[in-house]
Amino acid sequence: NRLPWMLIIAALIFSNLAHSQVSSELRIDPMLLVSLKECRNIANNLGNGLFPGWDFQKTPVLFYRPNVQELLINYPHKPKGFSLYTGFNPLGDDMIYVRNDTTLLSYDDQNTSTEVDSITVLVVADPYSTLRNQLQDILGRPKEFTSSWLKSWQFIPNPYFKLEVILHEAFHVYQNKMAPDKGANEMVVAQYPLLDPENNALYVLEGNILRDALFAQESKAKLEKIKEFVAVRSYRQSRLDSSFVEYENLNEYMEGLAKYVEYKFMKSGEAIEPTKEMYFSQGFNGYRGILAKQFRVAMDNMVNIVAVNDDRFGNKFGSGPLRFKLYDLGACQALLLDYVMPDWKEKIFQPTIYLTDLLKQSIALKADELKRYLDQAKAEYKYDEAYRSKVGFEKEGKQKIEEKVASILKTEKTLVEISFGGVTKKARVARFTPFGVTQVGKQSAIYEMVPALIIFKKGVMLDFKQPVPVLVDQDKQQIIFAVDTPSSKLIADSQNRLDITEFSLTTPMDIQYKGNTVLIRLK
């Protein structure tokens, strides 16, 4: 008599287990799935016209909303912690895995690539994660900026932009496969001459020349512009330390090529017939007559981004504008290479091959020609005027950076000063974003926008749990920042562990208190 009951219990257990491994609830925007379907449609229509050898259809994809839900698509197996997703799915027979309440990335708006069980996947954030990140920025902007942002409906997601983001980040997965070690050392942004007037004035010329080269109708005119660009670029980079030149070249390769894929879509995609579901996306109206206009707008934007003509990124004197301009500069050079060196894509994944070098090879200017085209470009694009403007930019930047430092040091919150000379000569900032670095001096910088991780030596680290502006001064061997937690709460326990809302630190230390300042000396 016991056997039937045992079978019933076993069946119930199996049913509950099976149910726990299946989920139909969709917590992220369903248009992400539709956008992925449309990107497959775009790649299928354009084929090698996007980038020969790249098969977008095979790219594993992770969509996420931080600590809410993530979907894993086109992945070879179900990772630990994921369930089979059985809800809305416009992708046909694609197997989708889902995980709720925890995500690999806990920060908003991270469009990137990462590894899941040693397999590289494309990562795209849910539109509401992007919006939340935008709102955090907007809340810190002047009232006039916020009002304009609201009045012009800039908070409405652009469906074309989301398609471009998916294509862009998916290409990075392919790049990592083709050249896994061809990446820039992002620590260089802490030393790059961001305020140098001559470097910045020459950048102004580069952006304008590239736009004119891409819109030139006659072959001779286009070649003349390419020669001007090569002359200006050659001279500008000749003034820089080799580490800065390498940083530019590698980011133009990495981000520029992914941006190039976006531009190729704009230039070649007008004849594509969109999937029907795309028309459910706010603002989507097909491609014909639209992509060409978007490309022209993108080129005007490129000129302004390269010249840093506005403060669209929230800190025009930090590293963000440099990082962003390299996307566009690389992409535009790649478009020109399509014209002067059609086989360039066969070479670009080699370790020391860069876009600028290939452009130089394509036209092979002699020293006197480089000088002539540099002078010609300076006259045509009013270099002297650009230089005077960038002298003012440098002066304004230095003042704003002083104010930024003062906002940390002269705080009414709890000021934390950590002296690390007792354990190491130099601290390593292991977690940061290259879009959120502001140089203060040759060996000092402020890191913000993401929770920083600073390593002093093996097993000794300062691990932030939330974004806090952190001043790292290698000369003074100090880390300085402000937190909301009262100074009286900053007490190390018996195991030399200091763990509060904003950060954790575990190592032997001396702590002193002076008003609202907490002085921590590592030992």
Side-chain angles (χ1 to χ4, degrees), residues 120 172-183 253-254 349:
T120 303
H172 281 324
V173 176
Y174 177 65
Q175 276 181 303
N176 290 333
K177 177 183 176 182
M178 297 299 292
D181 299 321
K182 197 172 180 180
Y253 155 77
M254 179 60 71
F349 294 116

Side-chain angles (χ1 to χ4, degrees), residues 390-409:
K390 294 309 176 185
V391 169
F393 181 86
E394 179 187 38
K395 182 179 179 181
E396 182 187 0
K398 289 179 178 179
Q399 179 182 340
K400 292 294 184 182
I401 291 169
E402 287 179 4
E403 292 172 4
K404 202 172 190 67
V405 172
S407 71
I408 296 175
L409 299 181

Side-chain angles (χ1 to χ4, degrees), residues 13 58 93 102 107 151 177 228 288 309 345 360 396 488:
I13 292 172
K58 294 182 179 179
D93 297 330
T102 184
Y107 313 133
K151 189 175 182 180
K177 177 183 176 182
E228 284 186 349
R288 194 174 299 277
N309 284 338
K345 298 182 186 76
K360 290 178 181 178
E396 182 187 0
S488 59

Side-chain angles (χ1 to χ4, degrees), residues 210 213-214 218-230 260 332-345 347 354-364:
L210 285 172
L214 288 168
E218 296 180 3
S219 177
K220 182 179 179 181
K222 189 179 290 287
L223 283 172
E224 284 291 292
K225 292 301 169 188
I226 294 173
K227 290 175 182 178
E228 284 186 349
F229 174 80
V230 167
Y260 164 83
C332 292
Q333 288 176 78
L335 289 173
L336 293 177
L337 282 169
D338 284 344
Y339 182 75
V340 294
M341 187 184 282
D343 64 344
W344 67 271
K345 298 182 186 76
K347 309 171 185 178
Y354 304 118
L355 295 164
T356 297
D357 293 337
L358 293 176
L359 267 183
K360 290 178 181 178
Q361 292 173 25
S362 73
I363 55 173

Side-chain angles (χ1 to χ4, degrees), residues 40-61:
R40 291 178 176 178
N41 178 46
I42 293 165
N44 184 56
N45 275 272
L46 296 182
N48 283 335
L50 271 180
F51 205 98
W54 174 42
D55 187 357
F56 174 85
Q57 317 293 348
K58 294 182 179 179
T59 308
V61 180

Side-chain angles (χ1 to χ4, degrees), residues 64-100:
Y64 85 106
R65 184 184 295 177
N67 299 317
V68 174
Q69 187 179 62
E70 55 190 4
L71 296 184
L72 192 55
I73 306 159
N74 204 20
Y75 196 78
H77 63 269
K78 181 168 72 69
K80 184 179 179 181
F82 282 77
S83 302
L84 178 64
Y85 172 73
T86 58
F88 170 75
N89 180 7
L91 302 173
D93 297 330
D94 273 32
M95 193 77 73
I96 301 178
Y97 303 111
V98 61
R99 180 164 63 174
N100 294 329

